């Protein structure tokens, strides 16, 4: 069984997204509020879908990200 690597994980925490994009928590919060990336809440936990982050940021040219 193959272990899922950090970059292949679909559901990501705020910390994982922050590290992936090399941004701060305030920037992540701002981008989320501005609709640049979509966040999901389950109770008090906030999470993100990796594919949506990559797609939305590539479409808007915020980052150059290669899979």
């Amino acid at each position: 069984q193959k272990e899922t690597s950090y970059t292949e994980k679909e559901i990501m925490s705020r910390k994982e997204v922050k590290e992936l994009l090399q941004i701060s928590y305030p920037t992540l919060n701002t981008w989320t509020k501005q609709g640049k990336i979509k966040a999901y809440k389950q109770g008090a936990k906030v999470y993100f879908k990796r594919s949506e982050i990559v797609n939305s940021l590539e479409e808007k040219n915020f980052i150059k990200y290669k899979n």
Side-chain angles (χ1 to χ4, degrees):
Q1 179 175 333
K2 183 183 172 193
E3 185 178 320
T4 302
S5 75
Y6 168 77
T7 56
E8 293 174 342
K9 186 175 174 186
E10 177 62 14
I11 303 300
M12 301 179 74
S13 68
R14 291 175 69 238
K15 181 180 179 184
E16 291 168 327
V17 173
K18 177 182 92 70
E19 291 172 357
L20 175 68
L21 300 179
Q22 298 179 357
I23 59 174
S24 66
Y25 284 119
T27 299
L28 179 58
N29 292 339
T30 299
W31 287 7
T32 302
K33 287 177 185 176
Q34 291 174 345
K36 292 179 181 179
I37 57 176
K38 182 171 175 140
Y40 297 87
K41 284 188 100 172
Q42 185 170 8
K45 183 174 169 112
V46 176
Y47 64 95
F48 302 85
K49 292 183 181 179
R50 179 183 172 272
S51 59
E52 290 181 359
I53 291 169
V54 172
N55 289 339
S56 67
L57 295 179
E58 284 180 340
E59 286 174 11
K60 295 177 174 78
N61 290 320
F62 289 117
I63 61 168
K64 300 291 183 192
Y65 184 85
K66 295 182 181 177
N67 290 332

